[in-house]
């Protein structure tokens, strides 16, 4: 049964890759080659191997928490957690191969233990559905134009508030604030994965450039309001390494801008573009592994030009 399910996943993956086009497939193949080389290099020494493994597993955990097929799997398969485990084992195979090649046995053991914890994360479906409908007064302060944030906060408000409060209370630990900023920066970048209906784009009645800059300005403003108090506390408790928080803030703002222009570069109303998802993953990796950050900047410029041309098809009446 698990093998049959994995075959379905491979067929879905093949269809999504086919939708990317030849040029993008060649680009992503080359990028994956560099990525594997980067993993091999980063997993040779300590503590770099722990950072790479940790960030990789954070992505797997985020994927697990955002799965939309949990209800289907839980109601149709008794051993649905074995399906989780088989899928996540395949996804972590590049990391595990690098760890085994470099004989990082402790990291290999830690990876398996964390995968076990991930697939056993509390996936109470009733609680999940309830959290998706959470509305509070706090959400009324979010601008109406930023409907992505309103929808995202509806899902993750409790989690985001918990991370923020814990970081504020433990900011005297040097790693507390950077970890919180990373979580608070990566999670909102996922708010832009799905394309909204066309009337919601045209309702702004803006030129293409104005529309894109308006989206970028709102995203940067809302993210800054959340993390600047944490950055100030980091300055107070750790002034000798103030540049860590500032550098992380700049990288995450770059990632969020990249996600916005990537979304609109492949924008089609009421869809979720496989190409935008794939290149969005490139941006997330660039935020985690700084050696790939220049590539994210170059792609960001390219996608801005592409998003400008794409949105002109829909906003030409306002140009």
């Amino acid at each position: 049964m698990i093998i049959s399910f994995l075959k379905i996943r491979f067929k879905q993956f093949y269809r999504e890759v086919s939708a990317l086009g030849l040029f993008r497939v060649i680009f992503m193949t080359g990028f994956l080659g560099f990525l594997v080389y980067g993993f091999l290099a980063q997993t040779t020494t300590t503590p770099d191997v722990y950072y790479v493994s940790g960030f990789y597993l954070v992505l797997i955990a985020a994927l697990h928490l955002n799965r939309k097929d949990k209800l289907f799997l839980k109601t149709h398969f008794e051993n649905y957690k074995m399906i989780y485990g088989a899928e996540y084992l395949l996804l972590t195979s590049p990391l595990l191969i690098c760890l085994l090649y470099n004989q990082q046995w402790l990291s290999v053991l830690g990876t398996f233990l964390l995968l076990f914890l991930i697939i056993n994360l509390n996936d109470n479906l009733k609680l999940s559905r309830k959290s998706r409908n959470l509305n509070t007064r706090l959400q009324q302060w979010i601008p109406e134009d930023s409907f992505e944030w309103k929808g995202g906060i509806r899902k993750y408000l409790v989690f985001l508030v918990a991370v923020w409060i814990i970081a504020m209370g433990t900011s005297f630990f040097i790693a507390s604030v950077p970890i919180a900023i990373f979580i608070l920066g990566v999670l909102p970048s996922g708010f832009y994965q799905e394309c909204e209906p066309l009337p919601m784009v045209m309702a702004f009645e803006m030129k293409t450039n104005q529309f894109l800059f308006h989206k970028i300005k709102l995203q940067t403003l809302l993210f800054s309001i959340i993390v600047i108090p944490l950055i100030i506390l980091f300055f107070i408790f750790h002034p000798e390494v103030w540049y860590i928080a500032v550098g992380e803030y700049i990288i995450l703002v770059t990632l969020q801008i990249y996600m916005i222009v990537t979304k609109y570069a492949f924008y089609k109303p009421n869809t979720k573009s496989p190409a935008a998802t794939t290149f969005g993953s490139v941006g997330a990796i660039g935020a985690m592994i700084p050696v790939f950050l220049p590539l994210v900047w170059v792609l960001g410029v390219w996608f801005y030009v592409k998003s400008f041309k794409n949105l002109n098809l829909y906003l030409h009446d306002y140009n």
Side-chain angles (χ1 to χ4, degrees):
M1 183 272 298
I2 295 178
I3 294 177
S4 299
F5 194 85
L6 291 177
K7 286 181 179 179
I8 295 174
R9 289 298 193 203
F10 278 119
K11 289 180 179 179
Q12 292 174 333
F13 175 74
Y14 177 77
R15 283 199 296 268
E16 292 195 2
V17 170
S18 300
L20 291 177
L22 180 61
F23 172 75
R24 294 173 191 145
V25 170
I26 294 173
F27 172 83
M28 290 305 301
T29 301
F31 174 77
L32 288 174
F34 282 111
L35 184 61
V36 171
Y37 175 79
F39 277 150
L40 281 172
Q42 293 292 322
T43 54
T44 56
T45 58
T46 304
D48 292 346
V49 62
Y50 302 136
Y51 297 146
V52 172
S53 302
F55 285 137
Y56 201 109
L57 290 167
V58 165
L59 289 179
I60 298 295
L63 172 66
H64 178 73
L65 292 173
N66 286 282
R67 289 182 71 124
K68 296 182 179 180
D69 60 351
K70 286 184 179 180
L71 179 59
F72 171 78
L73 293 176
K74 192 170 184 179
T75 54
H76 288 76
F77 302 98
E78 293 183 2
N79 54 346
Y80 64 95
K81 290 186 178 180
M82 291 183 64
I83 295 176
Y84 293 158
E87 289 183 340
Y88 300 154
L89 192 61
L90 279 175
L91 289 175
T92 54
S93 57
L95 174 65
L96 289 170
I97 290 171
C98 293
L99 294 176
L100 291 170
Y101 180 82
N102 290 310
Q103 300 182 4
Q104 297 287 354
W105 309 117
L106 183 60
S107 295
V108 171
L109 177 61
T111 299
F112 279 112
L113 289 175
L114 288 173
L115 282 177
F116 177 79
L117 292 176
I118 288 171
I119 65 176
N120 286 283
L121 285 175
N122 181 19
D123 58 347
N124 187 299
L125 297 171
K126 293 182 179 179
L127 178 62
S128 179
R129 285 197 294 268
K130 183 178 179 181
S131 66
R132 288 193 183 99
N133 296 319
L134 185 62
N135 288 289
T136 65
R137 291 185 179 180
L138 179 63
Q139 289 152 259
Q140 298 176 5
W141 292 91
I142 301 174
E144 296 294 333
D145 293 351
S146 189
F147 50 83
E148 296 93 347
W149 271 77
K150 283 185 176 291
I153 291 298
R154 217 174 264 122
K155 292 182 182 179
Y156 303 112
L157 177 62
V158 174
F159 176 72
L160 290 173
V161 170
V163 169
W164 193 84
I165 291 175
I166 292 172
M168 291 286 286
T170 60
S171 55
F172 47 87
F173 291 114
I174 192 169
S176 177
V177 168
I179 291 174
I181 292 176
F182 178 80
I183 295 173
L184 296 172
V186 171
L187 193 60
S189 65
F191 296 169
Y192 294 87
Q193 289 185 345
E194 298 185 9
C195 298
E196 65 270 25
L198 182 58
M200 298 182 72
V201 174
M202 300 186 67
F204 286 88
E205 298 184 356
M206 292 181 177
K207 297 179 180 180
T208 305
N209 266 334
Q210 290 177 327
F211 176 81
L212 287 171
F213 278 111
H214 183 66
K215 286 288 185 179
I216 292 171
K217 179 183 70 176
L218 280 177
Q219 174 66 31
T220 305
L221 176 64
L222 292 170
F223 176 60
S224 299
I225 290 173
I226 293 174
V227 302
I228 282 179
L230 297 176
I231 294 175
I232 292 173
L233 284 177
F234 191 79
F235 285 175
I236 293 173
F237 288 108
H238 314 286
E240 68 282 359
V241 288
W242 61 270
Y243 53 85
I244 293 178
V246 173
E248 189 177 22
Y249 170 79
I250 294 172
I251 290 173
L252 290 171
V253 168
T254 299
L255 170 64
Q256 292 167 3
I257 294 173
Y258 172 86
M259 297 299 290
I260 292 173
V261 297
T262 301
K263 170 187 173 181
Y264 290 108
F266 301 98
Y267 173 81
K268 289 183 180 179
N270 301 309
T271 63
K272 184 176 180 180
S273 169
T277 302
T278 301
F279 282 105
S281 301
V282 173
I285 292 170
M288 294 186 297
I289 305 177
V291 70
F292 293 111
L293 194 58
L295 175 63
V296 175
W297 293 336
V298 173
L299 288 175
V301 174
W302 179 39
F303 286 138
Y304 177 82
V305 175
K306 187 174 175 62
S307 63
F308 182 86
K309 293 179 180 178
N310 189 36
L311 286 175
N312 272 341
L313 298 174
Y314 305 102
L315 300 177
H316 56 85
D317 288 343
Y318 306 109
N319 289 327

